[in-house]
Coordinates of all heavy atoms in Angstrom, one line a residue:
V40 N 69.2 -11.5 -9.3 CA 69.6 -12.1 -10.6 C 69.1 -11.2 -11.7 O 68.2 -10.4 -11.5 CB 69.0 -13.5 -10.7 CG1 69.6 -14.4 -9.7 CG2 67.5 -13.5 -10.6
S41 N 69.6 -11.4 -12.9 CA 69.2 -10.7 -14.1 C 68.3 -11.6 -14.9 O 68.3 -12.8 -14.8 CB 70.4 -10.2 -14.8 OG 71.1 -9.2 -14.1
G42 N 67.6 -11.0 -15.9 CA 66.8 -11.7 -16.8 C 67.6 -11.9 -18.1 O 68.8 -12.0 -18.1
G43 N 66.8 -12.0 -19.2 CA 67.4 -12.3 -20.5 C 67.6 -13.8 -20.7 O 67.1 -14.6 -19.9
S44 N 68.4 -14.2 -21.7 CA 68.5 -15.6 -22.1 C 69.7 -16.3 -21.4 O 69.7 -17.5 -21.1 CB 68.6 -15.7 -23.6 OG 69.7 -14.9 -24.0
T45 N 70.7 -15.5 -21.1 CA 72.0 -16.1 -20.6 C 71.8 -16.9 -19.3 O 72.4 -18.0 -19.2 CB 73.1 -15.1 -20.5 OG1 73.3 -14.4 -21.7 CG2 74.4 -15.7 -20.0
P46 N 71.0 -16.4 -18.4 CA 71.0 -17.0 -17.1 C 70.3 -18.4 -17.0 O 70.4 -19.1 -16.0 CB 70.2 -16.0 -16.2 CG 70.1 -14.8 -16.9 CD 70.2 -15.1 -18.4
L67 N 65.0 -9.4 -8.7 CA 65.6 -9.2 -10.0 C 66.4 -7.9 -10.0 O 66.0 -6.9 -9.3 CB 64.5 -9.1 -11.0 CG 63.8 -10.4 -11.4 CD1 62.4 -10.2 -11.9 CD2 64.7 -11.1 -12.5
A68 N 67.4 -7.8 -10.9 CA 68.1 -6.5 -11.1 C 67.2 -5.5 -11.8 O 67.4 -4.3 -11.7 CB 69.4 -6.8 -11.8
D69 N 66.4 -6.1 -12.6 CA 65.5 -5.2 -13.4 C 64.3 -6.0 -14.0 O 64.3 -7.3 -13.9 CB 66.2 -4.5 -14.6 CG 66.6 -5.5 -15.6 OD1 67.0 -6.7 -15.3 OD2 66.6 -5.2 -16.8
E70 N 63.3 -5.3 -14.5 CA 62.1 -6.0 -15.0 C 61.5 -5.2 -16.2 O 61.6 -4.0 -16.2 CB 61.1 -6.2 -13.9 CG 59.8 -7.0 -14.3 CD 60.0 -8.4 -14.9 OE1 60.5 -8.5 -16.0 OE2 59.8 -9.3 -14.1
R71 N 61.0 -6.0 -17.1 CA 60.2 -5.3 -18.1 C 58.8 -5.1 -17.5 O 58.3 -5.9 -16.8 CB 60.1 -6.3 -19.3 CG 61.4 -6.6 -20.0 CD 62.1 -7.8 -19.3 NE 63.3 -8.2 -19.8 CZ 63.5 -9.0 -20.9 NH1 62.5 -9.5 -21.5 NH2 64.7 -9.2 -21.4
D79 N 57.9 -12.1 -22.2 CA 59.2 -11.5 -21.9 C 59.3 -11.0 -20.5 O 60.1 -10.1 -20.2 CB 59.4 -10.3 -22.9 CG 58.2 -9.4 -23.0 OD1 57.3 -9.7 -22.3 OD2 58.3 -8.5 -23.8
N81 N 60.7 -11.1 -16.8 CA 61.8 -11.7 -16.1 C 61.3 -12.5 -14.9 O 61.9 -13.5 -14.5 CB 62.8 -10.6 -15.6 CG 63.7 -10.1 -16.8 OD1 63.8 -10.8 -17.8 ND2 64.2 -8.9 -16.6
V131 N 74.0 -11.0 -9.6 CA 74.4 -11.6 -10.8 C 73.9 -10.7 -12.0 O 72.7 -10.5 -12.2 CB 73.9 -13.0 -11.0 CG1 74.4 -13.6 -12.3 CG2 74.2 -13.9 -9.8
L132 N 74.9 -10.0 -12.6 CA 74.5 -9.1 -13.7 C 74.7 -9.8 -15.1 O 75.6 -10.6 -15.2 CB 75.4 -7.9 -13.7 CG 75.3 -7.0 -12.4 CD1 76.4 -5.9 -12.4 CD2 73.9 -6.3 -12.4
G133 N 73.9 -9.4 -16.0 CA 74.1 -9.7 -17.4 C 74.6 -8.5 -18.1 O 74.8 -7.4 -17.5
M134 N 74.8 -8.5 -19.4 CA 75.2 -7.4 -20.2 C 74.7 -7.5 -21.6 O 74.8 -8.6 -22.2 CB 76.7 -7.2 -20.2 CG 77.2 -6.0 -20.9 SD 79.0 -5.9 -21.0 CE 79.3 -7.2 -22.3
G135 N 74.2 -6.4 -22.1 CA 73.8 -6.4 -23.5 C 74.9 -6.0 -24.4 O 76.0 -5.5 -24.0
G136 N 74.7 -6.1 -25.7 CA 75.7 -5.8 -26.7 C 76.0 -4.3 -26.7 O 77.1 -3.9 -27.2
D137 N 75.2 -3.5 -26.1 CA 75.4 -2.1 -26.0 C 76.0 -1.7 -24.7 O 76.1 -0.5 -24.4 CB 74.1 -1.3 -26.2 CG 73.0 -1.7 -25.1 OD1 73.4 -2.6 -24.3 OD2 71.9 -1.1 -25.1
H139 N 74.8 -2.3 -21.8 CA 73.9 -2.1 -20.7 C 73.9 -3.3 -19.7 O 74.3 -4.4 -20.1 CB 72.4 -1.9 -21.2 CG 71.7 -3.1 -21.5 ND1 71.5 -3.7 -22.8 CD2 71.0 -4.0 -20.7 CE1 70.8 -4.7 -22.7 NE2 70.5 -5.0 -21.4
T140 N 73.6 -3.0 -18.5 CA 73.4 -4.0 -17.5 C 72.1 -3.7 -16.7 O 71.8 -2.5 -16.6 CB 74.6 -4.2 -16.6 OG1 74.5 -5.4 -15.8 CG2 74.8 -3.0 -15.7
A141 N 71.5 -4.7 -16.2 CA 70.1 -4.4 -15.6 C 69.3 -3.7 -16.7 O 69.4 -4.0 -17.8 CB 70.2 -3.7 -14.3
S142 N 68.6 -2.6 -16.3 CA 68.0 -1.7 -17.3 C 68.7 -0.4 -17.3 O 68.0 0.7 -17.5 CB 66.5 -1.7 -17.1 OG 65.9 -2.9 -17.5
L143 N 70.0 -0.4 -17.2 CA 70.8 0.8 -17.3 C 71.3 0.9 -18.7 O 72.3 0.4 -19.1 CB 72.0 0.8 -16.3 CG 71.6 0.5 -14.8 CD1 72.9 0.4 -14.0 CD2 70.7 1.6 -14.3
F144 N 70.4 1.5 -19.6 CA 70.7 1.6 -21.0 C 71.4 2.9 -21.4 O 71.0 3.9 -20.9 CB 69.4 1.5 -21.8 CG 68.7 0.1 -21.7 CD1 67.8 -0.2 -20.8 CD2 69.1 -0.9 -22.6 CE1 67.2 -1.5 -20.7 CE2 68.6 -2.2 -22.5 CZ 67.6 -2.5 -21.6
V168 N 64.6 -0.5 -26.4 CA 63.8 -1.6 -26.0 C 62.3 -1.2 -26.0 O 62.0 -0.1 -25.9 CB 64.2 -2.1 -24.5 CG1 65.5 -2.8 -24.5 CG2 64.1 -0.9 -23.6
R172 N 60.7 -0.1 -18.4 CA 61.4 -0.9 -17.5 C 61.4 -0.4 -16.1 O 61.2 0.8 -15.9 CB 62.9 -1.1 -18.0 CG 63.1 -1.7 -19.3 CD 63.0 -3.2 -19.3 NE 63.4 -3.8 -20.5 CZ 64.5 -4.5 -20.7 NH1 65.4 -4.6 -19.7 NH2 64.8 -5.1 -21.8
I173 N 61.7 -1.2 -15.1 CA 62.0 -0.8 -13.8 C 63.4 -1.4 -13.4 O 63.6 -2.6 -13.8 CB 60.9 -1.1 -12.8 CG1 61.2 -0.5 -11.4 CG2 60.7 -2.6 -12.7 CD1 60.0 -0.5 -10.5
H189 N 77.8 -12.4 -15.7 CA 77.6 -13.6 -16.5 C 77.3 -13.3 -17.9 O 76.2 -12.8 -18.3 CB 76.4 -14.4 -15.8 CG 76.2 -15.7 -16.4 ND1 75.0 -16.4 -16.3 CD2 77.0 -16.6 -17.2 CE1 75.1 -17.6 -16.9 NE2 76.3 -17.7 -17.5
V190 N 78.3 -13.5 -18.8 CA 78.1 -13.3 -20.2 C 78.7 -14.4 -21.0 O 79.6 -15.1 -20.6 CB 78.8 -11.9 -20.6 CG1 78.0 -10.7 -20.1 CG2 80.3 -11.9 -20.1
V191 N 78.2 -14.6 -22.2 CA 78.7 -15.6 -23.1 C 78.9 -15.1 -24.5 O 78.2 -14.2 -24.9 CB 77.8 -16.9 -23.1 CG1 77.7 -17.6 -21.7 CG2 76.4 -16.6 -23.6
K195 N 80.1 -10.4 -26.8 CA 80.1 -9.8 -25.5 C 81.5 -9.7 -24.9 O 81.8 -8.8 -24.1 CB 79.1 -10.5 -24.6 CG 77.7 -10.3 -25.0 CD 76.7 -10.7 -24.0 CE 75.3 -10.5 -24.5 NZ 74.3 -11.0 -23.6
Ligands
6PG20 O1 65.9 -7.7 -18.5 C1 66.9 -8.0 -19.1 O2 67.0 -8.2 -20.3 C2 68.2 -8.2 -18.3 O3 68.2 -7.9 -17.0 C3 69.3 -7.5 -19.1 O4 70.1 -6.6 -18.5 C4 70.1 -8.7 -19.6 O5 71.0 -9.1 -18.6 C5 70.9 -8.3 -20.8 O6 70.1 -7.7 -21.8 C6 71.6 -9.5 -21.5 O7 70.5 -10.3 -21.9 P1 70.8 -11.7 -22.6 O8 71.3 -12.6 -21.6 O9 69.5 -12.2 -23.2 O10 71.9 -11.5 -23.7

Side-chain angles (χ1 to χ4, degrees):
V40 295
S41 290
S44 56
T45 304
L67 285 156
D69 68 325
E70 180 59 283
R71 298 86 182 273
D79 50 1
N81 285 339
V131 182
L132 296 171
M134 184 185 71
D137 60 356
H139 84 261
T140 191
S142 283
L143 308 174
F144 289 95
V168 289
R172 300 283 188 104
I173 187 167
H189 184 199
V190 288
V191 295
K195 291 193 179 178

